[in-house]
């Protein structure tokens, strides 16, 4: 927090208005919403919009007359200290105003711009009210302020939900797998967000539509820089009943930033070995599955970063999400409302003349990408891709569905499906403040659903993991520590990001699985009978390492008393 000075005294005008009173430095108060501005004491009388020539700083520093006729300054965080605000304080006193007891308040760019526009629209001159629109630069700057906050909080997505029939709308974030509505972004006006989205869409690449259309599904990507970090934002909008809902996926695009390794993501040692082995040899498909936002693309990019430099990798993505070293990456945008087989087919023909050994094919999600999968997987190159499926074993069923249309006979053929991976993201415990499970005497207050006595629950966990596993288990400390405590999001204290939990399936190791695929029979029974380890078992292994709270396992999978955990008990 930058400091501000509570009182100032200046020399006379002939002496050049220099600061002489060095009062103790105190953190500047933060006004996080329009309601907080209304609750000021003394209250705001008006904004002094026309009395000071601030030029480009007009949307970052705003003098405000209070009801007691003193003046304070509304400033953005980066402008609450420095030469600009010192000069403004001097100008305020030179015009005969008294500085307020609290001479500076910190506001977000978004809130400050809203206050300025509201003040302009309330002016009596109709002409001024009709032309008092935010500039495109101010609107885009406000958007970057939202993105900056999301990056600082390690958010994976920004959600802008516009309610066209209401005065206010929402800006929410996906942080640590949770959909959160920070107090900082309460009270965002609908008209402001609509104007902001229209300006942002003007910078979208590969978008379907020349302008932002609240009544149409749109997608595209946007590159921007925030605090020196290069980001790529993947835009996906939905025309909802109450108004457009825009989801922006935040992706780091630093050219010199190394991709995460498999261990850092959370893959167990034996799983890391399986994935590295999948890079060897020729032909076959390596497919990552999971729900939306489960980190599939991140893991796939991390794996591609381990390809030896003598292999030629070409990626075809919509859009390119991560910059992969030594890869030729191609962005292929497609219209959401029309088939695009000809452009896609032309790209595939060009690929085959590129003499590559490996191909990364974005996401398999429709008939067009299903055709591409069929073509490439049967052509002899090594193919890597992603798909939305409920488990690794059900990837073939998803690819064979009417939405995608891949032949089951092709997938059952030897050598086509090399490795199937299914993953999810679970909250990762803070390694500094996590509490040993064995130290608890009762259920934590954060556990909403409790089954039976705590001692009985512990006995069940002990049966699942054994003595050593039980002693190594850790649970979240809701108070957090200096490494994980977040004053703006206290409900996330005790967690530090998320960790991948995964299940891996090599079809060639389970002949009965391939046979069941070929005859379109149930596949899970033959896998379980042959000793295949499902995702929940691997997540339990991570909990035994103190990486995941066992209560989070119950929230994601099911309570430990259910039949779903019997397989894990037999392996303990």
């Amino acid at each position: 927090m930058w400091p501000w000075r509570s009182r100032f005294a200046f020399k006379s005008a002939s002496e050049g208005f220099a600061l002489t009173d060095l009062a103790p430095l105190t953190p500047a108060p933060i006004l996080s919403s329009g309601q907080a501005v209304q609750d000021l004491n003394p209250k705001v009388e008006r904004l002094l919009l026309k009395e000071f020539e601030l030029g480009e700083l007009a949307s970052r520093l705003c003098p405000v007359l209070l009801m007691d006729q003193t003046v304070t300054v509304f400033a953005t965080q980066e402008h609450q200290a420095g030469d600009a605000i010192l000069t403004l304080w001097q100008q305020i006193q030179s015009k005969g105003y008294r500085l307020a007891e609290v001479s500076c308040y910190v506001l977000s760019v978004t809130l400050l711009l809203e206050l300025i526009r509201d003040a302009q629209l309330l002016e009596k001159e109709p002409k001024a009210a009709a032309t008092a629109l935010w500039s495109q630069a101010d609107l885009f700057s406000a958007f970057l302020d939202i993105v900056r906050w999301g990056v600082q909080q390690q958010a994976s997505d920004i959600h802008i939900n516009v309610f066209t029939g209401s005065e206010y709308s929402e800006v929410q974030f996906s942080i640590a797998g949770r959909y959160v509505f920070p107090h900082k972004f309460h009270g965002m006006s609908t008209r402001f967000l609509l104007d902001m989205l229209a300006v942002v869409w003007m910078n979208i690449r590969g978008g379907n539509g020349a302008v932002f259309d609240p009544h149409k599904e749109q997608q595209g990507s946007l590159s921007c820089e925030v605090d020196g970090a290069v980001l790529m934002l993947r835009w996906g909008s939905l025309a909802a009943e109450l108004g457009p809902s825009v989801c922006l996926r935040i992706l780091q695009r630093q050219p010199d930033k190394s991709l995460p390794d498999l261990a850092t993501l959370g893959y167990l040692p034996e799983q890391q070995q399986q994935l590295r082995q999948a890079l060897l040899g020729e032909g076959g498909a390596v497919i990552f599955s999971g729900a939306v936002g489960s980190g599939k693309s991140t893991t796939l990019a991390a794996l591609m970063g381990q390809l030896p430099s003598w292999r030629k990798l070409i990626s075809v993505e919509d859009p390119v999400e991560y910059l992969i070293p030594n890869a030729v990456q191609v962005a292929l945008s497609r219209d959401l409302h029309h088939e695009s087989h000809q452009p896609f087919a032309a790209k595939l023909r060009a690929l085959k003349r590129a003499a590559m050994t490996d191909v990364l094919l974005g996401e398999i999600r429709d008939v067009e990408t299903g055709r591409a999968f069929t073509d490439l997987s049967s052509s002899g190159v090594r193919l890597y891709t992603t798909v939305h499926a409920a488990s690794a074993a059900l990837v073939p069923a998803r690819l064979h569905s009417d939405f995608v249309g891949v032949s089951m006979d092709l997938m059952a053929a030897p050598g086509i499906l090399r490795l199937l991976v299914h993953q999810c993201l679970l909250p990762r415990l803070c390694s500094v403040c996590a509490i040993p499970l064995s130290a608890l005497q009762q259920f934590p207050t954060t556990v909403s659903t409790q089954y039976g006595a705590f001692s009985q629950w512990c006995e069940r966990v002990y049966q699942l993991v054994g003595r050593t596993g039980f002693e190594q288990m850790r649970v979240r400390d809701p108070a957090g520590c200096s490494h994980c405590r977040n004053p703006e999001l206290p409900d996330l204290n005790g967690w530090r990001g998320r960790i991948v939990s995964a299940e891996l399936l090599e079809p060639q190791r389970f002949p009965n699985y391939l046979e069941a695929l070929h005859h379109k029979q149930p596949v899970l029974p033959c896998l379980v009978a042959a000793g295949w380890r499902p995702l929940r078992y691997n997540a339990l292994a991570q909990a035994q390492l103190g990486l995941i709270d066992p209560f989070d396992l119950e929230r994601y999978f099911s309570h430990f008393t259910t039949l779903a955990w019997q397989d894990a008990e037999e392996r303990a």
Side-chain angles (χ1 to χ4, degrees):
M1 181 80 63
W2 286 95
W4 60 280
R5 302 182 187 278
S6 58
R7 288 191 180 91
F8 297 90
F10 296 94
K11 297 180 182 180
S12 66
S14 62
E15 295 176 284
F17 290 105
L19 276 171
T20 59
D21 181 14
L22 299 179
L25 300 179
T26 309
I30 297 175
L31 301 177
S32 58
S33 65
Q35 186 62 50
V37 174
Q38 294 179 23
D39 292 342
L40 281 178
N41 186 19
K43 292 185 176 299
V44 173
E45 179 173 312
R46 62 187 174 90
L47 274 57
L48 303 177
L49 296 171
K50 295 183 176 180
E51 296 188 32
F52 297 89
E53 296 296 331
L54 295 174
E56 295 180 354
L57 292 175
S59 60
R60 300 296 182 270
L61 294 170
C62 181
V64 178
L65 181 65
L66 304 178
M67 287 296 188
D68 65 354
Q69 300 306 298
T70 61
V71 175
T72 187
V73 175
F74 288 171
T76 59
Q77 186 167 358
E78 63 271 22
H79 288 88
Q80 62 178 297
D83 292 341
I85 194 168
L86 292 178
T87 301
L88 178 57
W89 278 324
Q90 291 175 345
Q91 292 178 4
I92 290 170
Q93 288 204 341
S94 70
K95 289 181 178 289
Y97 290 108
R98 273 188 311 119
L99 283 174
E101 180 73 16
V102 180
S103 55
C104 176
Y105 290 93
V106 174
L107 286 72
S108 68
V109 174
T110 304
L111 179 56
L112 183 54
L113 287 173
E114 285 196 69
L115 293 176
I116 291 173
R117 186 186 187 191
D118 286 344
Q120 291 174 329
L121 292 175
L122 289 174
E123 292 180 352
K124 295 181 179 180
E125 300 90 345
K127 182 178 180 181
T131 59
L133 299 177
W134 293 293
S135 71
Q136 292 184 6
D138 284 341
L139 287 165
F140 197 78
S141 179
F143 171 72
L144 291 182
D145 188 53
I146 294 173
V147 175
R148 180 179 293 106
W149 191 91
V151 172
Q152 292 171 347
Q153 303 300 326
Q154 299 182 350
S156 60
D157 300 271
I158 302 169
H159 308 268
I160 302 176
N161 302 319
V162 180
F163 307 132
T164 52
S166 173
E167 182 179 357
Y168 298 104
S169 294
E170 295 179 348
V171 177
Q172 301 210 40
F173 298 81
S174 292
I175 301 177
R178 284 164 167 74
Y179 189 51
V180 298
F181 189 12
H183 183 73
K184 176 184 178 73
F185 295 101
H186 285 200
M188 298 285 288
S189 76
T190 297
R191 67 186 181 190
F192 179 87
L193 289 178
L194 280 172
D195 286 353
M196 183 186 73
L197 290 172
V199 168
V200 173
W201 182 259
M202 294 168 62
N203 296 272
I204 290 290
R205 294 182 303 174
N208 53 315
V211 297
F212 170 59
D213 187 345
H215 307 291
K216 179 181 178 182
E217 278 69 37
Q218 294 179 295
Q219 66 177 16
S221 61
L222 166 70
S223 293
C224 61
E225 184 174 329
V226 175
D227 296 335
V230 179
L231 306 174
M232 197 274 279
L233 304 175
R234 191 179 69 194
W235 172 300
S237 62
L238 183 67
E241 181 68 21
L242 298 180
S245 177
V246 178
C247 177
L248 295 154
R249 173 66 52 85
I250 303 174
L251 299 165
Q252 298 283 346
R253 292 296 299 272
Q254 296 290 80
D256 58 345
K257 183 173 181 176
S258 59
L259 294 167
D261 57 52
L262 297 173
T264 301
L265 292 175
Y267 276 87
L268 297 168
E270 61 271 23
Q271 294 177 330
Q272 297 172 39
Q273 182 64 21
Q274 277 184 277
L275 287 167
R276 293 190 187 100
Q277 289 176 349
L279 298 177
L280 305 176
E282 303 291 338
V286 178
I287 306 174
F288 285 81
S289 71
V292 175
S294 58
K296 303 181 296 297
S297 297
T298 303
T299 302
L300 186 53
L303 184 62
M304 295 298 90
Q306 298 186 17
L307 274 174
S309 58
W310 52 267
R311 297 182 71 96
K312 182 178 181 181
L313 170 65
I314 296 181
S315 76
V316 180
E317 304 171 72
D318 181 19
V320 172
E321 297 191 4
Y322 292 93
L323 299 180
I324 302 173
N326 302 318
V328 178
Q329 296 183 263
V330 179
L332 181 63
S333 298
R334 297 184 297 145
D335 196 309
L336 291 176
H337 302 280
H338 301 90
E339 289 192 358
S340 53
H341 180 63
Q342 292 306 318
F344 210 81
K347 188 70 68 175
L348 291 178
R349 288 193 295 270
L351 274 178
K352 292 176 182 177
R353 295 190 292 269
M356 70 287 181
T357 58
D358 303 79
V359 175
L360 190 162
L361 180 63
E363 177 187 337
I364 307 298
R365 62 186 182 190
D366 51 28
V367 172
E368 301 302 323
T369 48
R371 289 171 178 169
F373 174 86
T374 298
D375 190 12
L376 291 168
S377 62
S378 58
S379 67
V381 301
R382 177 64 52 78
L383 176 64
Y384 309 88
T385 188
T386 67
V387 69
H388 292 138
S391 73
L394 295 178
V395 166
R398 171 62 179 166
L399 293 177
H400 184 59
S401 68
D402 293 339
F403 294 101
V404 182
V406 177
S407 167
M408 188 65 78
D409 289 338
L410 171 70
M411 290 184 286
I416 295 297
L417 299 181
R418 184 174 181 85
L419 180 65
L420 307 178
V421 184
H422 181 79
Q423 70 174 49
C424 68
L425 289 172
L426 297 176
R428 185 195 294 265
L429 282 172
C430 174
S431 60
V432 178
C433 64
I435 304 168
L437 175 60
S438 57
L440 296 184
Q441 301 298 318
Q442 59 185 2
F443 285 109
T445 56
T446 55
V447 178
S448 57
T449 305
Q450 302 172 7
Y451 294 86
F454 180 68
S455 59
Q456 294 176 336
W457 183 88
C458 288
E459 179 62 28
R460 175 57 180 161
V461 175
Y462 191 95
Q463 293 173 358
L464 289 173
V465 302
R467 178 178 178 179
T468 302
F470 187 85
E471 291 176 348
Q472 292 179 339
M473 276 190 167
R474 300 289 185 269
V475 297
R476 178 174 75 99
D477 181 358
C481 65
S482 60
H483 295 82
C484 66
R485 190 178 297 119
N486 189 334
E488 294 192 78
L489 300 168
D491 290 343
L492 301 183
N493 289 345
W495 287 306
R496 293 187 69 182
R498 292 186 290 175
I499 187 172
V500 170
S501 288
E503 60 186 20
L504 278 67
L505 172 59
E506 296 181 62
Q508 301 302 322
R509 295 178 55 186
F510 301 93
N512 290 340
Y513 172 70
L514 291 175
E515 184 177 348
L517 281 181
H518 184 74
H519 296 289
K520 300 180 182 179
Q521 297 174 346
V523 296
L524 288 176
C526 65
L527 288 173
V528 173
W532 177 64
R533 297 191 299 186
L535 190 152
R536 62 181 177 276
Y537 170 78
N538 297 305
L540 186 61
Q542 292 170 306
Q544 293 178 66
L545 296 174
L547 301 173
I548 299 175
D549 189 325
F551 293 109
D552 286 329
L553 292 188
E554 289 192 316
R555 293 187 187 101
Y556 189 88
F557 298 102
S558 59
H559 193 262
F560 289 133
T561 59
T562 61
L563 295 176
W565 289 100
Q566 283 188 351
D567 179 60
E569 181 179 7
E570 293 171 359
R571 298 174 184 273

